[in-house]
Coordinates of all heavy atoms in Angstrom, one line a residue:
M1 N 215.6 79.2 1.0 CA 215.1 77.9 0.6 C 214.2 77.4 1.7 O 213.2 76.8 1.5 CB 216.3 77.0 0.4 CG 215.9 75.6 0.0 SD 215.1 75.6 -1.6 CE 214.9 73.9 -1.9
L2 N 214.7 77.5 3.0 CA 213.9 77.0 4.1 C 212.5 77.7 4.2 O 211.5 77.1 4.4 CB 214.6 77.1 5.4 CG 213.9 76.6 6.7 CD1 213.7 75.1 6.5 CD2 214.7 76.9 7.9
S3 N 212.5 79.0 4.0 CA 211.3 79.8 4.1 C 210.3 79.4 3.0 O 209.1 79.4 3.3 CB 211.5 81.3 4.1 OG 212.2 81.6 2.9
T4 N 210.8 79.0 1.9 CA 209.9 78.5 0.8 C 209.3 77.2 1.2 O 208.1 77.0 1.0 CB 210.7 78.4 -0.5 OG1 211.3 79.7 -0.8 CG2 209.8 78.0 -1.7
C5 N 210.0 76.3 1.7 CA 209.5 75.0 2.2 C 208.5 75.2 3.3 O 207.4 74.6 3.2 CB 210.6 74.1 2.6 SG 211.7 73.5 1.3
V6 N 208.8 76.0 4.2 CA 207.9 76.3 5.3 C 206.6 76.9 4.8 O 205.5 76.5 5.2 CB 208.5 77.2 6.4 CG1 207.5 77.7 7.4 CG2 209.7 76.5 7.1
G7 N 206.7 77.8 3.9 CA 205.5 78.5 3.3 C 204.6 77.5 2.6 O 203.4 77.5 2.7
F8 N 205.3 76.7 1.8 CA 204.5 75.7 1.0 C 203.8 74.7 1.9 O 202.6 74.4 1.7 CB 205.5 74.9 0.1 CG 204.8 73.8 -0.6 CD1 204.0 74.0 -1.7 CD2 204.9 72.4 -0.2 CE1 203.4 73.0 -2.4 CE2 204.3 71.4 -0.8 CZ 203.5 71.7 -2.0
L9 N 204.4 74.2 3.0 CA 203.8 73.3 3.9 C 202.6 74.0 4.6 O 201.6 73.4 4.8 CB 204.8 72.7 4.9 CG 205.8 71.8 4.3 CD1 206.8 71.4 5.3 CD2 205.1 70.5 3.7
A10 N 202.9 75.2 5.1 CA 201.8 75.9 5.8 C 200.6 76.2 4.9 O 199.5 76.0 5.4 CB 202.4 77.2 6.4
A11 N 200.8 76.6 3.7 CA 199.7 76.9 2.8 C 199.0 75.6 2.4 O 197.7 75.6 2.4 CB 200.2 77.7 1.6
S12 N 199.7 74.6 2.1 CA 199.1 73.3 1.7 C 198.4 72.6 2.8 O 197.6 71.7 2.5 CB 200.2 72.4 1.0 OG 201.1 72.0 2.0
S13 N 198.6 73.0 4.0 CA 197.9 72.3 5.2 C 196.4 72.6 5.1 O 195.6 71.8 5.7 CB 198.5 72.8 6.5 OG 198.1 74.1 6.7
L14 N 196.0 73.6 4.4 CA 194.6 73.9 4.3 C 193.9 73.2 3.2 O 192.6 73.1 3.1 CB 194.4 75.4 4.1 CG 194.8 76.3 5.3 CD1 194.9 77.8 4.8 CD2 193.8 76.2 6.4
V15 N 194.6 72.6 2.3 CA 194.0 72.0 1.1 C 193.1 70.8 1.5 O 192.0 70.7 0.9 CB 195.1 71.5 0.1 CG1 194.5 70.6 -1.0 CG2 195.8 72.7 -0.5
P16 N 193.4 69.9 2.4 CA 192.5 68.9 2.7 C 191.2 69.4 3.3 O 190.1 68.8 3.0 CB 193.2 68.1 3.8 CG 194.7 68.3 3.6 CD 194.7 69.7 3.1
Q17 N 191.2 70.5 4.1 CA 190.0 71.0 4.6 C 189.1 71.6 3.5 O 187.9 71.5 3.5 CB 190.3 72.1 5.7 CG 189.0 72.6 6.4 CD 188.3 71.5 7.2 OE1 189.0 70.9 8.0 NE2 187.1 71.2 6.9
V18 N 189.7 72.3 2.5 CA 189.0 72.9 1.4 C 188.4 71.8 0.6 O 187.2 71.8 0.2 CB 190.0 73.7 0.5 CG1 189.3 74.1 -0.8 CG2 190.4 75.0 1.3
R19 N 189.1 70.7 0.3 CA 188.6 69.6 -0.4 C 187.4 68.9 0.3 O 186.3 68.6 -0.3 CB 189.6 68.5 -0.7 CG 190.7 69.0 -1.7 CD 191.7 68.0 -2.0 NE 191.1 66.8 -2.7 CZ 191.7 65.7 -2.9 NH1 192.9 65.5 -2.5 NH2 191.0 64.7 -3.5
K20 N 187.5 68.7 1.6 CA 186.5 68.0 2.4 C 185.2 68.9 2.4 O 184.1 68.4 2.2 CB 187.0 67.8 3.8 CG 185.9 67.1 4.7 CD 186.5 66.9 6.1 CE 185.5 66.2 7.0 NZ 184.5 67.1 7.6
T21 N 185.4 70.2 2.6 CA 184.3 71.1 2.7 C 183.5 71.2 1.4 O 182.3 71.1 1.3 CB 184.7 72.5 3.1 OG1 185.4 72.4 4.4 CG2 183.5 73.5 3.3
Y22 N 184.3 71.2 0.3 CA 183.7 71.3 -1.1 C 183.0 70.0 -1.4 O 181.8 70.0 -1.9 CB 184.8 71.6 -2.1 CG 184.2 71.7 -3.5 CD1 183.5 72.8 -3.9 CD2 184.4 70.6 -4.4 CE1 183.0 72.9 -5.2 CE2 183.9 70.7 -5.7 CZ 183.2 71.8 -6.1 OH 182.6 71.9 -7.3
R23 N 183.6 68.9 -1.1 CA 183.0 67.6 -1.4 C 181.7 67.3 -0.6 O 180.7 66.7 -1.1 CB 184.0 66.4 -1.3 CG 185.0 66.4 -2.3 CD 185.9 65.2 -2.2 NE 186.8 65.1 -3.3 CZ 187.9 64.3 -3.3 NH1 188.1 63.5 -2.3 NH2 188.7 64.3 -4.3
S24 N 181.7 67.7 0.7 CA 180.6 67.4 1.5 C 179.5 68.5 1.4 O 178.4 68.3 1.9 CB 181.0 67.3 3.0 OG 181.5 68.6 3.5
R25 N 179.9 69.6 0.8 CA 178.9 70.7 0.6 C 178.4 71.2 2.0 O 177.3 71.5 2.1 CB 177.8 70.4 -0.3 CG 178.1 70.0 -1.7 CD 178.4 71.2 -2.5 NE 178.4 71.0 -3.9 CZ 179.5 70.9 -4.7 NH1 180.7 71.0 -4.1 NH2 179.4 70.7 -6.0
S26 N 179.3 71.1 3.0 CA 178.9 71.5 4.3 C 180.1 72.2 5.0 O 181.2 71.6 5.0 CB 178.4 70.3 5.1 OG 178.2 70.7 6.5
G27 N 179.9 73.3 5.6 CA 180.9 73.9 6.4 C 180.6 73.8 7.9 O 181.0 74.7 8.7
E28 N 179.8 72.8 8.3 CA 179.3 72.7 9.6 C 180.4 72.7 10.7 O 180.3 73.2 11.7 CB 178.5 71.4 9.7 CG 177.8 71.3 11.1 CD 177.0 70.0 11.2 OE1 176.6 69.4 10.1 OE2 176.6 69.6 12.3
G29 N 181.5 72.0 10.4 CA 182.6 71.9 11.4 C 183.5 73.1 11.4 O 184.5 73.1 12.2
L30 N 183.3 74.0 10.5 CA 184.2 75.2 10.5 C 183.8 76.3 11.4 O 182.6 76.7 11.4 CB 184.3 75.7 9.0 CG 184.8 74.8 8.0 CD1 184.6 75.4 6.6 CD2 186.2 74.4 8.2
S31 N 184.7 76.9 12.1 CA 184.4 78.0 12.9 C 184.6 79.3 12.1 O 185.7 79.6 11.6 CB 185.3 78.1 14.1 OG 185.3 79.3 14.8
F32 N 183.5 80.0 11.9 CA 183.6 81.3 11.1 C 184.6 82.3 11.7 O 185.4 82.9 11.1 CB 182.2 81.9 10.9 CG 182.2 83.1 10.0 CD1 182.3 82.9 8.6 CD2 182.1 84.3 10.6 CE1 182.3 84.0 7.8 CE2 182.1 85.4 9.7 CZ 182.2 85.3 8.4
R33 N 184.5 82.4 13.0 CA 185.4 83.3 13.7 C 186.8 83.0 13.6 O 187.7 83.8 13.4 CB 185.0 83.4 15.2 CG 183.7 84.0 15.5 CD 183.4 84.1 17.0 NE 182.0 84.5 17.2 CZ 181.3 84.2 18.2 NH1 181.9 83.5 19.2 NH2 180.1 84.7 18.4
M34 N 187.1 81.7 13.7 CA 188.5 81.2 13.5 C 189.0 81.5 12.1 O 190.2 82.0 11.9 CB 188.6 79.7 13.8 CG 190.0 79.2 13.8 SD 190.8 78.7 12.2 CE 189.6 77.6 11.5
L35 N 188.2 81.3 11.1 CA 188.6 81.6 9.7 C 188.8 83.1 9.5 O 189.8 83.5 8.9 CB 187.5 81.1 8.8 CG 187.3 79.6 8.7 CD1 186.1 79.2 7.8 CD2 188.6 78.9 8.2
V36 N 188.0 84.0 10.1 CA 188.2 85.4 10.0 C 189.5 85.8 10.7 O 190.3 86.6 10.1 CB 187.0 86.2 10.5 CG1 187.3 87.7 10.7 CG2 185.8 85.9 9.7
V37 N 189.8 85.3 11.9 CA 191.0 85.6 12.6 C 192.2 85.1 11.8 O 193.2 85.9 11.6 CB 191.0 85.0 14.0 CG1 192.4 85.2 14.7 CG2 189.9 85.7 14.8
L38 N 192.1 83.9 11.2 CA 193.2 83.4 10.4 C 193.5 84.2 9.2 O 194.6 84.5 8.8 CB 193.0 81.9 10.1 CG 194.0 81.2 9.2 CD1 195.4 81.2 9.9 CD2 193.6 79.8 9.0
A39 N 192.4 84.6 8.5 CA 192.5 85.5 7.3 C 193.2 86.8 7.7 O 194.0 87.3 6.9 CB 191.1 85.7 6.7
S40 N 192.8 87.4 8.8 CA 193.4 88.6 9.2 C 194.9 88.5 9.5 O 195.7 89.3 9.1 CB 192.7 89.1 10.5 OG 191.3 89.3 10.3
G41 N 195.2 87.4 10.2 CA 196.7 87.1 10.4 C 197.5 86.9 9.2 O 198.6 87.5 9.0
L42 N 196.9 86.2 8.2 CA 197.6 86.0 6.9 C 197.7 87.3 6.2 O 198.8 87.6 5.6 CB 196.8 85.0 6.1 CG 196.9 83.5 6.6 CD1 195.9 82.6 5.9 CD2 198.3 83.0 6.6
A43 N 196.7 88.2 6.2 CA 196.8 89.5 5.6 C 197.9 90.3 6.2 O 198.6 91.0 5.5 CB 195.4 90.2 5.7
L44 N 198.0 90.2 7.5 CA 199.1 91.0 8.2 C 200.5 90.4 7.8 O 201.5 91.2 7.6 CB 198.9 90.9 9.7 CG 197.8 91.8 10.2 CD1 197.6 91.5 11.7 CD2 198.0 93.3 9.9
W45 N 200.6 89.1 7.6 CA 201.9 88.5 7.2 C 202.2 89.0 5.7 O 203.4 89.2 5.4 CB 201.8 87.0 7.2 CG 202.2 86.4 8.5 CD1 201.4 85.8 9.4 CD2 203.5 86.4 9.1 NE1 202.2 85.4 10.5 CE2 203.5 85.8 10.3 CE3 204.8 86.9 8.6 CZ2 204.6 85.6 11.1 CZ3 205.9 86.7 9.4 CH2 205.8 86.1 10.7
I46 N 201.2 89.1 4.9 CA 201.4 89.6 3.6 C 201.9 91.1 3.6 O 202.9 91.4 2.9 CB 200.1 89.5 2.7 CG1 199.7 88.1 2.5 CG2 200.3 90.3 1.4 CD1 198.3 87.8 1.9
A47 N 201.3 91.9 4.5 CA 201.8 93.2 4.6 C 203.3 93.3 5.1 O 204.1 94.0 4.6 CB 200.9 94.0 5.6
Y48 N 203.6 92.4 6.1 CA 204.9 92.3 6.6 C 205.9 91.9 5.5 O 207.0 92.4 5.4 CB 205.0 91.3 7.8 CG 206.4 91.0 8.2 CD1 207.1 91.9 9.0 CD2 207.1 89.9 7.8 CE1 208.4 91.7 9.4 CE2 208.4 89.6 8.2 CZ 209.0 90.5 9.0 OH 210.3 90.2 9.4
G49 N 205.5 90.9 4.7 CA 206.3 90.4 3.6 C 206.6 91.5 2.6 O 207.7 91.6 2.0
A50 N 205.5 92.3 2.3 CA 205.7 93.4 1.4 C 206.6 94.5 1.9 O 207.5 95.0 1.2 CB 204.3 94.1 1.1
M51 N 206.5 94.8 3.2 CA 207.4 95.8 3.8 C 208.8 95.3 3.9 O 209.7 96.2 3.8 CB 206.9 96.2 5.2 CG 205.6 96.9 5.2 SD 205.0 97.6 6.8 CE 205.5 96.4 8.0
S52 N 209.0 94.0 4.1 CA 210.4 93.5 4.2 C 210.9 93.0 2.8 O 212.0 92.5 2.8 CB 210.5 92.4 5.3 OG 209.7 91.3 4.9
R53 N 210.1 93.1 1.8 CA 210.4 92.7 0.5 C 210.8 91.2 0.4 O 211.8 90.8 -0.2 CB 211.5 93.6 -0.1 CG 211.0 95.0 -0.4 CD 212.0 95.8 -1.1 NE 211.5 97.1 -1.5 CZ 211.9 98.2 -0.9 NH1 212.8 98.2 0.0 NH2 211.3 99.3 -1.3
S54 N 210.0 90.4 1.1 CA 210.3 88.9 1.2 C 209.3 88.2 0.4 O 208.2 87.9 0.8 CB 210.3 88.5 2.7 OG 210.4 87.1 2.7
M55 N 209.7 87.8 -0.8 CA 208.8 87.1 -1.8 C 208.3 85.8 -1.2 O 207.1 85.5 -1.4 CB 209.4 87.0 -3.1 CG 208.4 86.6 -4.2 SD 207.0 87.7 -4.4 CE 207.8 89.1 -5.1
P56 N 209.1 85.0 -0.6 CA 208.5 83.7 0.0 C 207.4 83.9 1.0 O 206.4 83.2 1.0 CB 209.8 83.0 0.6 CG 210.9 83.6 -0.1 CD 210.6 85.0 -0.5
V57 N 207.6 85.0 1.8 CA 206.5 85.3 2.8 C 205.3 85.7 2.1 O 204.2 85.3 2.5 CB 207.0 86.3 3.8 CG1 205.9 86.8 4.7 CG2 208.2 85.8 4.6
I58 N 205.4 86.5 1.1 CA 204.2 87.1 0.4 C 203.5 85.9 -0.3 O 202.3 85.8 -0.2 CB 204.7 88.2 -0.6 CG1 205.2 89.4 0.1 CG2 203.5 88.5 -1.5 CD1 205.9 90.4 -0.8
V59 N 204.2 85.1 -1.1 CA 203.6 84.1 -1.9 C 202.9 83.0 -1.0 O 201.8 82.6 -1.3 CB 204.7 83.4 -2.8 CG1 204.1 82.2 -3.5 CG2 205.2 84.4 -3.9
A60 N 203.6 82.6 0.0 CA 203.0 81.6 0.9 C 201.8 82.1 1.6 O 200.8 81.3 1.6 CB 204.0 81.2 2.0
N61 N 201.8 83.3 2.0 CA 200.6 83.8 2.7 C 199.5 84.2 1.8 O 198.3 84.1 2.2 CB 201.0 85.0 3.7 CG 201.8 84.4 4.8 OD1 201.2 83.8 5.7 ND2 203.1 84.7 4.9
V62 N 199.8 84.6 0.6 CA 198.7 84.9 -0.4 C 198.0 83.5 -0.7 O 196.8 83.5 -0.8 CB 199.3 85.5 -1.7 CG1 198.3 85.4 -2.8 CG2 199.7 87.0 -1.4
A63 N 198.8 82.5 -0.9 CA 198.2 81.1 -1.1 C 197.3 80.7 0.0 O 196.2 80.3 -0.2 CB 199.3 80.1 -1.4
G64 N 197.9 80.9 1.2 CA 197.1 80.5 2.4 C 195.8 81.4 2.5 O 194.7 80.9 2.9
L65 N 195.9 82.7 2.3 CA 194.8 83.6 2.4 C 193.7 83.2 1.3 O 192.5 83.2 1.6 CB 195.2 85.0 2.2 CG 194.1 86.1 2.3 CD1 193.4 86.0 3.7 CD2 194.6 87.4 2.1
A66 N 194.1 82.8 0.1 CA 193.2 82.4 -0.9 C 192.4 81.1 -0.4 O 191.2 81.1 -0.6 CB 193.9 82.1 -2.2
L67 N 193.1 80.2 0.2 CA 192.4 79.0 0.7 C 191.5 79.3 1.8 O 190.4 78.8 1.9 CB 193.5 77.9 1.1 CG 194.3 77.4 -0.1 CD1 195.4 76.5 0.5 CD2 193.4 76.5 -1.0
V68 N 191.9 80.2 2.7 CA 191.0 80.6 3.8 C 189.8 81.3 3.3 O 188.7 81.1 3.8 CB 191.8 81.4 4.9 CG1 190.8 82.0 5.9 CG2 192.8 80.5 5.6
L69 N 190.0 82.2 2.3 CA 188.8 82.9 1.8 C 187.9 81.9 1.1 O 186.7 82.1 1.1 CB 189.3 84.0 0.8 CG 190.0 85.2 1.5 CD1 190.6 86.1 0.4 CD2 189.1 85.9 2.5
A70 N 188.4 80.9 0.4 CA 187.6 79.9 -0.2 C 186.8 79.2 0.9 O 185.6 78.9 0.7 CB 188.4 78.9 -0.9
L71 N 187.4 78.9 2.0 CA 186.7 78.2 3.1 C 185.6 79.1 3.7 O 184.5 78.7 4.0 CB 187.6 77.8 4.3 CG 188.5 76.6 4.0 CD1 189.6 76.5 5.1 CD2 187.7 75.4 3.9
I72 N 185.9 80.4 3.8 CA 184.9 81.4 4.3 C 183.7 81.4 3.3 O 182.5 81.4 3.7 CB 185.5 82.8 4.5 CG1 186.4 82.8 5.7 CG2 184.4 83.8 4.7 CD1 187.2 84.0 5.9
A73 N 184.0 81.5 2.0 CA 182.9 81.5 1.0 C 182.1 80.3 1.1 O 180.9 80.4 1.0 CB 183.6 81.7 -0.4
M74 N 182.7 79.1 1.2 CA 182.0 77.9 1.3 C 181.1 77.8 2.6 O 180.0 77.3 2.5 CB 182.9 76.7 1.2 CG 183.4 76.4 -0.2 SD 184.3 74.9 -0.4 CE 186.0 75.4 0.1
K75 N 181.7 78.3 3.7 CA 180.9 78.3 4.9 C 179.7 79.2 4.7 O 178.6 78.8 5.2 CB 181.8 78.9 6.0 CG 181.1 79.1 7.3 CD 180.9 77.9 8.1 CE 180.4 78.1 9.5 NZ 180.0 76.9 10.2
L76 N 179.8 80.3 4.1 CA 178.6 81.2 3.9 C 177.6 80.6 2.9 O 176.4 80.8 3.1 CB 179.1 82.6 3.4 CG 179.9 83.4 4.5 CD1 180.5 84.6 3.8 CD2 179.1 83.7 5.7
I77 N 178.1 80.0 1.9 CA 177.2 79.4 0.8 C 176.5 78.1 1.3 O 175.3 78.0 1.2 CB 178.0 79.1 -0.5 CG1 178.5 80.4 -1.1 CG2 177.2 78.3 -1.4 CD1 179.5 80.3 -2.2
F78 N 177.3 77.2 1.9 CA 176.8 75.9 2.3 C 176.0 76.0 3.6 O 175.1 75.2 3.8 CB 177.9 74.9 2.4 CG 178.6 74.6 1.1 CD1 179.9 74.3 1.1 CD2 178.0 74.7 -0.1 CE1 180.6 74.0 -0.1 CE2 178.7 74.5 -1.3 CZ 180.0 74.2 -1.3
D79 N 176.3 76.9 4.5 CA 175.7 77.0 5.8 C 175.3 78.5 6.0 O 175.9 79.2 6.8 CB 176.6 76.6 6.9 CG 177.0 75.1 6.8 OD1 176.3 74.3 6.3 OD2 178.1 74.8 7.3
P80 N 174.3 78.9 5.3 CA 173.9 80.4 5.3 C 173.4 80.9 6.7 O 173.5 82.1 6.9 CB 172.9 80.5 4.2 CG 172.3 79.2 4.0 CD 173.4 78.2 4.4
T81 N 172.8 80.0 7.5 CA 172.3 80.5 8.8 C 173.4 80.4 9.8 O 174.0 79.3 10.0 CB 171.1 79.6 9.2 OG1 171.5 78.2 9.2 CG2 169.9 79.8 8.3
P82 N 173.8 81.5 10.5 CA 174.8 81.4 11.5 C 174.5 80.6 12.7 O 173.3 80.5 13.0 CB 175.0 82.9 11.8 CG 173.7 83.5 11.5 CD 173.1 82.8 10.4
T83 N 175.5 80.0 13.3 CA 175.3 79.2 14.5 C 176.1 79.8 15.6 O 177.0 80.6 15.4 CB 175.8 77.7 14.3 OG1 177.2 77.8 13.9 CG2 175.1 77.0 13.2
Q84 N 175.7 79.5 16.8 CA 176.4 80.0 18.0 C 177.7 79.2 18.1 O 177.8 78.0 18.1 CB 175.6 79.7 19.3 CG 174.4 80.7 19.4 CD 174.9 82.1 19.5 OE1 174.7 82.8 18.6 NE2 175.4 82.5 20.6
E85 N 178.8 79.9 18.0 CA 180.2 79.3 18.1 C 180.8 79.6 19.4 O 180.8 80.6 19.9 CB 181.1 79.8 17.0 CG 180.6 79.4 15.6 CD 181.5 79.9 14.5 OE1 182.6 80.4 14.8 OE2 181.1 79.7 13.4

């Protein structure tokens, strides 16, 4: 039960950033490198959850990864020219 609550809170923490980026049509404040590192970490958590057969870990991190991938896509679409980070 606790892991489900933790996973929900962790994944939902990205929702305000996704909404702000989508509404402003700008990913200017987003670090592309940070998003890629976060996506990689979430993918590894999904692999760990699969190996340990922990559905709460898998579900929470799949949700988080989907939101991070949405942010990466918006960063690439709204700010196509890379900046020095």
